[in-house]
Structures are given as C-alpha cells and as structure tokens.
Amino acid sequence: MSLYSKTAVELIGLLNKKEISSRDIVSSVFQRIEQVDTKINAFIYTDKENALKKADEIDKKRVNAEPLGLLGGVPVVLKSNLCCFTWPVSCASKILKGYNCAYTATSVEKLLREDAVPIGYANMDEFAMGSSCENSAFGVTRNPWNTDCIPGGSSGGSAAAVAADETILALGSDTGGSIRQPASLCGVVGLKPTYGRVSRFGLVAYASSLDQIGTLTKTVADNALLLKVISGHDCSDSTSIDRKVPDYPAYLNNSIKGLKIGIPKEYFVDGMDNEVEESVKKSIKTFEGQGAVPVEISLPHTDYAVACYYIIATAEASANLARFDGIRYGARSPQAENLIDLYEKTKSDGFGQEVKRRILLGTYVLSSGYYEAYYKKAQKVRTLIKNDFDTVFKKVDCILTPTSPTPAFKIGEKTNDPLKMYLSDIFTISLNLAGLPGISIPGGFTQSGLPIGMQLAGRPFEEEVILNAAYSFEKNTLFHTTKPTLS
Amino acid sequence: MEFEPVIGLEVHVQLKTKSKLFCSCATEFGAAPNSQVCPVCLGHPGVLPVLNKQALDYAVLCGLALNCSISKFSKFDRKNYFYPDLPKNYQVSQFDKPICGKGKITFLINGNEKTIGITRAHLEEDAGKLVHSETGAESGVDFNRTGIPLLEIVSEPDLRTPEEAYMYLHMIKNIIEYLGVSDCNMEEGSLRCDANVSIRPKGQEKFGTKVEIKNMNSFRNVQKALAYELERQEDEILGGGIIVQETRLWDADKNQTFSMRTKEEAHDYRYFPEPDLVPVKLDENYIKSLENQLPELPFDRMNRFTKEYTLTGYDAQVLTSSREIADYYEECANLTDDYKAVSNWVQSELLREINEKKISIKESKVTPSKLTDMLKLIQKGVISGKIAKIVFHEIMRSGKDAEQIVKEKGLVQISNPDELKNIVEKVIKDNKKIVDDYKGGKEKSFMFLVGQVMKATQGKANPQLVTKMLKEAIG
Amino acid sequence: MSFTEKDVDYVANLSRISLSDEEKKNFTVQLEQILKYVEKLNRLNTDNIEPTAHILPVSNVFRDDVAKICPTTRFAVEQSALLVDGLFGVPRVI
C-alpha cells in the first residue's frame, strides 16, 4: 500500500520505527496529487519545494534524535482561507489575486510547531460561502467518489483531498457546516470544534461569530490528534477560550456503554433522502449494539435555524468583506477614475455571484429600518436555538443526526437556486449558531456508491465525548476502509 | 425675529497609550509613513483585535472626570462606511453601550458658572491620514494613526453661544490634560472637534435642522466657524430659505463654511455588535480604584484657590487653566503669604515669558522658590517692584538667585533719606513750573516729580520715601 | 415587505458593488425569495428573549499596553498594488 493512502497515526508509527522518512511521505503525497488532481481539482496552490525542505529538516532531526513534534513529518493541506506567511491565500476569490500572507495563522503556527508539513492550499467556495465548492474562482472541485458530483462545501477541496489520498490531514473552516457537510459527502471524518476552542486568528473571516477552524482526516484517531495540535487559547483572538486542551487521542478507547445519544425528532422530516434516513436508523442500531442508549429528544426551533443563520452570517460577512477594496492588497481595478469607482470596479470584478448575493443580503438586514426586524430578531432566535440545546444536553450526552439531508448532488444541480442550496446545511447550521462541537463520520453508502455521513454533536468543550463515540462507531463499521476508485 | 443658537460638540481625544487600541503598534507622532503598522491595523485578511487595557482605564478615568456614569456593561460595535483612511472599511466604535454615560462639566464664563451636559463618551479606533499632493493624480494614505485609541466626548446641545463653545472646549482640554491621558494638541490632531449647530426662534422648544461642521483645527476656529454658521443660518431663514441637514467644512483661510455635498455620502452606518471583541464588564472595585487615581480637577481647584488664597474668580481660573501652572502656583503659595503678589507675577511676567519662549513652566529657570525669594526682597523693601522686573528677567535668563543678582548689579533700593536729599532738591530746583502747577492743584504734576527722582536713581529710590520727601520739601 | 430593484440599488451602493442589469434582476428575485423565507422567524414570539451576539459568556479580554515592533510591516505594506512614496495610493480625494 502506498504511503499516501495511510493515516497519520500509521505513518507516525512507521516514522518512529524509522521504516520510512518524512521525505518519503511528502514525495508520495505529491506523486498522488500529480496523478489525480487533474480529475479532482482539490488544490489551488502547492509548495512542493518547501514541503520537501521541511520534510528533510524533520528527517534530520529524527536522525539526530532531536525532540520532534506530535505530527513529525506528516503532510497537511490548508483551506485557502488560512494565512501562512508568504503563501498566496486567495479564499478562492479573484479579489485576493496577488496577495501573499503577511503573517501566519495561529492554528498554522501550531501545526508548524508540531512539525507538520503544510503542502498547499485546498480549493473552497469563495470566502467559504457555499455548500458545493462550485463558487470558486479556481474551478469546481469534484467528488472523488463520482467526479460528476460536487464534493460539498465550503471546505470541499480539503475534504476531496483527504478522500482522494492527496493529503494525509487537512484543515478546514466551518461556519454553517463547511467542514462536516463536505466530510460527509466525501466519506471522511470532519470535526468542527466548540466556538472558541481553536484560535480564529489568521482565518479569513466570513461570519466571525460562527466561524471555527476544524479538522478533516481519514480516521477518527487522526482527527483527535490533529485537533489536539490546533486547539488552545490564543492571546490574539479575544473569543478564544482559556481552557485546558484534553489529550483527545487518549479518550478514544473509552467504552460508550450507557452513553445517552439524543435523536432529535425534528431532523426526520420531509425532504430527507430515503437512503440517508435508512443509514441513520442503522447507525442508531450500531450505537445501541455498543451499549449506547438512544433517547428521543426535541429541538423545537430547528426549523428556524437556516433563516436565522442566513441573516446573522450575511450581516457579519457584509462588514468582514468590506476591506477587500484593492487599496492595501489584492486585486485593484486599473480603470478606476475616482474613489467610488475604484471600490465598485474592484468589488464587482473581484467577487463572484454568491459573495455579492450574501453581501447584499447582509447589508440589507443591517440597514436602517431593517436592523430590528431582521438582524436583532435573528439574534433572539439564536438564543432560542441555543436554549434548545442547553435543555436537551441535560438529558443526553450527545446528539446523532444525519450530516446532510442528501448525498453529493450533481455539479450545477442547485447553482440557480440559492435557497435550495442553503437548505443543504439544514442539519449542520444549528451547531454553529449554538457554538457546539460536531463531527461528521462515514455512516454508509448509497446504492450508487456515494458516501453518507453521520453527525454527532456534543456539549461545549466536550469534543472528546463525540470523538470517543465516533471512534467506537468507526471501529464497528469500517466504512472508512472503503476508498474511492478514481477511475 | 430673534433666534436662539443650539450647539453641541463632538470632541475626539487621542489617548496617550504606548500601543494602539487593538494591536501592539507604536503610537508615536511623526514617524515615517506606514512604519507603525502591522497586518492587524492594516486590516489584512484574518486579523483580529484585542483591547488595550490602558486605553480602557484612560477612558474610564476621563469619564469619571467628566462626571459621567460608568457603564457596568459596555461593548464594541462596527460602524460601516467606506473611506480610504479606514482599512477595514468599518470602524470599531461603540454604539448603544458606550463606556461612559451621561455626565456634565462646569466652567466660568464672564464670571458666571455654566454647566454643560455630556451625553456620552466612548472608545473607538482612529482612522489613517490622507495626504494630498498638490500636483499628483493620487492621494496617499498613511495608516500610522490608524487604531490609535480615541475617546469621543459628545456634549448635550446645551451650548448657546460660540464663546460658550470655546470655553467648553477649553474646560474639556483642561480636564483631560489634568488627567495626563492625552496631549490634547489640536495641531497634531490629538484633539479634534466637530460641531452640530442649529438655530430656533427664541422661545421655541423644537430644535431646528442641524448642520454638522468639520475641519476646525483650533479652538478659535471653532468659535469663528460657529459664529459664521449661526449668521449664515439666520440669513438663510430670514431670506425665506430653509436649512438643509448636511455636513459643512470650515475653511480657515476664507473664514467660511462650505457644503461638503457628496451624494454618495450615505448615512446608514449599519452598526452591529463587533463579534471579534467580547463585552467589557466593570465592577465597583475597578471603578473605585480609578476614582482614587483622579487628581483634583480644574473647576474644584479653581474654587479652592479663590477660598484658600483669597483670589478673584478670574485669577483662580487663569491659575488653574493647566495643571502645571496650578501646581507651580501652589508651590509658591507654600513659600509665601503674599498670594496676590504671586498671582500677579505668575499671570503677568511668568506666563508671558514662557509663552514667548514656547517652553513649559517646568522648564522655566524661575522656580517657585526663586520667585518667592524675589518677592520677599520686595516685601522687605530691598528692591522696588520696578527693579524686581529687572531681577525677574535676569533670573529667567541666568537662573541665578534674586539676592545674588541684586548684589551683583547693585540694585538695592535707596531707602536712606540722606542719599536722596540732594537729588530731591535738584529735581525741585530744575522743575520750578511743574512744582507751581502742583501747588496750583494739578495732582498729576506730582507724579512727574516722583518720576524724575526715580529716573535720577535708575529706579532704585524707595518710592514711598521719595513721595514723603518731595511733599515735605515742596511744603 | 416586498423587496424591489430599488432596494438592490440601495444596498449595492452601500456596499460599493456595482451590478450589471442582469445581476440586478437576478438578485432582486433571489433576495426577495430569501427574505420571504426568513420571515418565518416572525412566527416566533421573542419579546422577552435576549439577543445573542456572542455564544460564549466571555468578557474582559485585554492586552497590556506594550508597543511591539511588527517583523512583517514592510512585507505587509508592499502587498499594495500602488504605493507612492510609502503611502497607499488612492484616486485623488478632495
């Protein structure tokens, strides 16, 4: 088996036994990228030269028996909205053309400190706005399981790269499901941590009160390891929480006997794909088989989450994206005659349709006369949604739902119907609104061979609980061992 | 028809922190363009703000000094608008929960106390500076100033005359200087002021349409701009026109306000809570601890000066107009009982000298002890008041003691009648006609004779003694 | 509340985005549809509900007032497409 198809935990084992070098892994991964990425288009940017250099440095350290970080020599791809000094962070937008990061994100610093090897930037929906990876100035990313289908989004490039073995680990960001939904559609493990668990410093903001950086990996064990590395308090992010980071990998083998798993009845309503529904039911049985106890619960405000989200997220985005004006960095319209012209031309040329749509919507809900009716109202509904979770988490330890109402859909299927597209995040959005951790794990396949994902949500700062449950499920289902053929 | 002006002022004060409000860049004035910037204050993608604790402390200190209520809960908001000096194209400011709520300040105007309400004072980040070249097709932006903490102090529309506005500004500056939290230098832009002006028929309660005036770069200009604008509005209304709600710019060269008509100027700032900053919660203990740091403030000090040193309101006001002057005065007052004399000397000679030399009172070589030592020489009759002026300037120049100067220059007052006798007699002899005039009832003529004696002694003669001797001699 | 092309114009101007006629037409229809959808929030009574701006109850996060030299100032400034004598160039503002 090629090195690129292995997990981080496996590779670290081999590295420690000195059977392979970090250069071997990085070379193998780049060989894979060169082989398959023309089909997938998961990458926007790669930095092979520096990756190999970094791998050599780590190998040298290992030879010299110097202390090595937790990810000593393992490749990782970054979503294109994470800053890495001198890299061309683009957010898959034309508007950042020519911009090279002037600093490094805290999460990326942490990766570097633990000797991970960043290999490049993954494709995404422009500024993390989208659920299909179709809104990219760098072309659509294709689903490795069926290249006619979308990989999900917005971290579609990260998810597809992991699924296609073009990387070992990946970072993404999740504002309304942008890690979990593509993880689900690509059959990988994707975790969005509790809001405040991972520093957002260096994550190009979409909706600041909802954004969170998270992990996409081939297995739950890899996910636990990667999460451990990037978590923790950061003085540069006022919203990051000063709280001890648990040793996530150490929790994985705990028994889930007696674990109360809430099944929200509101999530099993019309619009859900039959095969997805079947999968969830099977998953519940699997958990029961391991001693967990399913409990029917109610999250009465579920139906309002999407509406609430699209008001809050777009409002914040309208301010967050105002800075892209071509003056200090990025693309600048050359034909501007005056200042207003410069703003308008730069933005109109630089932003794609979905980004424009959301900026306009966000501007509208904040504008004079509408603030109370839309924005304030949505903030109040956010409180109700959070209260729902507070209530059920008194009764259950975690919540099981499908990650996405449907498996991967065809490229172009929903591009003309934004609202329909927005509804594909219906199961993931609530967790962002409530700030809760959630993980998507492979939960089966459709008849046509597309992955189906299960989502486990946990209490704030209890990532170890959902990781443990996910690990137990993974061990007993082995869905993760099936790989796309990429023919 | 008689009109009543309604004026409110918005004063922006740069707080003198070492680093910016939300990042660690330095705040020094006059650095090379864009040298005190970083990804955070340049608004690069992905950056986040973290609040400078010192700026918060300073803001609360100002609020306390302005008698504001201090909010137990306050938060930051984004104010959205596009301008090239604003890197993020929104300004982090405070909308509905400012750190300081309602307050008031009191000052003297023409000897009467006037109290003006403060609506609020809030923290926000400063914008960059636009530089316009005379010829180029471009303007340039320097972001060094971006992110320096500003306290915006908003007054109630309580001001009724341009002069009141002028005095209000002075008092604000005075108070904040007392706290030592800002340079309050209008030329360097560490204090800036915008005004809202309207007029209404006397007796009417409803406010007229207000006009905002910007670009006034001195207190005098504020006064002038307000006077101009009030007249303009009155003319407009009396001429049958209406006042348009707008922003006008003061042109100090032309002494006029001009409409800043930009149709793009959309006043829809879409404030919303800044998600990247968490709320600020202040408890009693914290507020108390800052209260304890408050120095005695100008108005209180002025009142104490009038009582403790039996000064007039006017004198006390001048002497407390800056903390340095007041400290200086009090140091003198500890060394002498002649409070009135110190007051006169500080206000006339000393302030004139330091203003001319453009130095601070602390830099003056006339220290409180040197000044009071000199005053003691006057009291003792060693020198006259007139000679003292010579001595004063010599101290100012060389920093020597008064006594030493008097000795070196032979400036001791002549109080011995024997030494003056001949001179007095000579003056009477040489000025027969004047003496006659005096005898005929022309009182003024006598002063001339005194003057002649003083002149003959280079001012050293004891004036009281000269008067006495002249009267005796003329009979 | 109906959403019209005039509203699109208003928000496009506020957000400094100029739109083609086609974009204007599409966005009017799409935003109207989305706004109609989000009106479902009005079914909820939220009279006594506090709005949530921050999901975690954190307050008072400060930094000390220490000035630091940023190692990447130059690199950051040089990202601009138009620098004139160390200043960021913009079309003449009067």
Side-chain angles (χ1 to χ4, degrees), chain A residues 134-301:
Chain A
E134 290 164 295
N135 307 326
S136 165
F138 297 82
V140 61
T141 295
R142 291 168 184 274
N143 193 315
W145 295 88
N146 179 343
T147 50
D148 292 334
C149 289
I150 55 100
S154 66
S155 310
S158 299
V162 173
D165 285 331
E166 293 180 82
T167 184
I168 308 301
L169 303 169
L171 289 191
S173 71
D174 189 317
T175 308
S178 278
I179 288 174
R180 291 158 289 156
Q181 187 256 16
S184 156
L185 270 44
C186 290
V188 301
V189 181
L191 182 142
K192 177 200 96 74
T194 310
Y195 186 82
R197 176 81 285 181
V198 178
S199 166
R200 292 184 295 117
F201 187 74
L203 166 66
V204 183
Y206 156 27
S208 314
S209 81
L210 302 161
D211 292 342
Q212 190 62 194
I213 297 169
T215 45
L216 295 108
T217 57
K218 297 173 187 180
T219 62
V220 175
D222 276 10
N223 215 290
L225 179 63
L226 185 56
L227 181 65
K228 183 184 168 182
V229 168
I230 64 166
S231 294
H233 179 240
D234 177 16
C235 297
S236 301
D237 176 1
S238 306
T239 63
S240 96
I241 304 299
D242 194 358
R243 211 179 148 120
K244 199 170 169 284
V245 179
D247 182 13
Y248 296 117
Y251 286 84
L252 297 182
N253 281 309
N254 291 354
S255 159
I256 62 162
K257 202 160 182 240
L259 185 82
K260 292 203 192 78
I261 302 182
I263 315 292
K265 59 178 189 205
E266 289 81 3
Y267 282 54
F268 297 87
V269 283
D270 44 80
M272 200 199 290
D273 183 280
N274 281 336
E275 288 179 295
V276 173
E277 194 168 346
E278 278 313 303
S279 257
V280 186
K281 286 183 177 153
K282 268 191 217 152
S283 301
I284 297 170
K285 287 266 173 312
T286 306
F287 277 115
E288 269 185 301
Q290 293 154 57
V293 186
V295 181
E296 194 194 70
I297 55 164
S298 171
L299 295 164
H301 296 99

Side-chain angles (χ1 to χ4, degrees), chain C residues 31-48:
Chain C
L31 293 189
E32 159 128 61
Q33 192 195 358
I34 295 163
L35 287 166
K36 207 172 261 164
Y37 173 79
V38 303
E39 256 167 43
K40 65 158 70 177
L41 298 186
N42 293 329
R43 282 187 237 142
L44 294 170
N45 182 343
T46 51
D47 288 351
N48 299 312

Side-chain angles (χ1 to χ4, degrees), chain A residues 143 145 182-189 273-284 286-287 400-404 406-408 440-455 473-474 476-484:
Chain A
N143 193 315
W145 295 88
S184 156
L185 270 44
C186 290
V188 301
V189 181
D273 183 280
N274 281 336
E275 288 179 295
V276 173
E277 194 168 346
E278 278 313 303
S279 257
V280 186
K281 286 183 177 153
K282 268 191 217 152
S283 301
I284 297 170
T286 306
F287 277 115
L400 177 71
T401 74
T403 309
S404 167
T406 64
S440 178
I441 43 170
F445 294 91
T446 63
Q447 297 244 297
S448 60
L450 287 170
I452 295 170
M454 293 299 123
Q455 173 178 253
F473 182 84
E474 182 186 80
N476 285 279
T477 54
L478 299 179
F479 293 126
H480 69 288
T481 55
T482 310
K483 297 254 185 179

Side-chain angles (χ1 to χ4, degrees), chain B residues 40-167:
Chain B
V40 177
C41 55
L42 286 174
H44 272 229
V47 297
L48 296 171
V50 186
L51 180 60
N52 183 336
K53 178 69 174 14
Q54 185 70 75
L56 175 70
D57 292 351
Y58 282 171
V60 172
L61 213 49
C62 289
L64 291 169
L66 301 171
N67 302 297
C68 292
S69 59
I70 304 299
S71 310
K72 296 275 163 59
F73 176 96
S74 75
K75 66 177 179 70
F76 289 91
D77 301 276
R78 293 183 182 177
K79 180 183 183 181
N80 296 286
Y81 65 97
F82 285 90
Y83 207 63
D85 63 2
L86 200 61
K88 300 183 292 292
N89 289 318
Y90 61 79
Q91 180 191 30
V92 179
S93 180
Q94 299 194 289
F95 182 54
D96 57 339
K97 301 277 181 199
I99 284 174
C100 311
K102 276 200 184 311
K104 60 177 194 295
I105 63 166
T106 303
F107 51 88
L108 279 188
I109 179 157
N110 304 322
N112 300 316
E113 274 188 23
K114 176 89 191 179
T115 297
I116 300 295
I118 306 281
T119 312
R120 55 183 283 163
H122 67 257
L123 263 180
E124 60 185 28
E125 53 182 351
D126 205 348
K129 223 155 88 185
L130 273 163
V131 182
H132 312 283
S133 75
E134 292 300 316
T135 48
E138 267 97 28
S139 295
V141 199
D142 174 7
F143 288 110
N144 282 348
R145 201 177 71 180
T146 303
I148 290 182
L150 285 182
L151 187 72
E152 177 175 334
I153 303 163
V154 183
S155 85
E156 293 281 305
D158 288 350
L159 298 157
R160 290 292 170 268
T161 66
E163 199 195 351
E164 277 181 16
Y166 178 83
M167 296 305 287

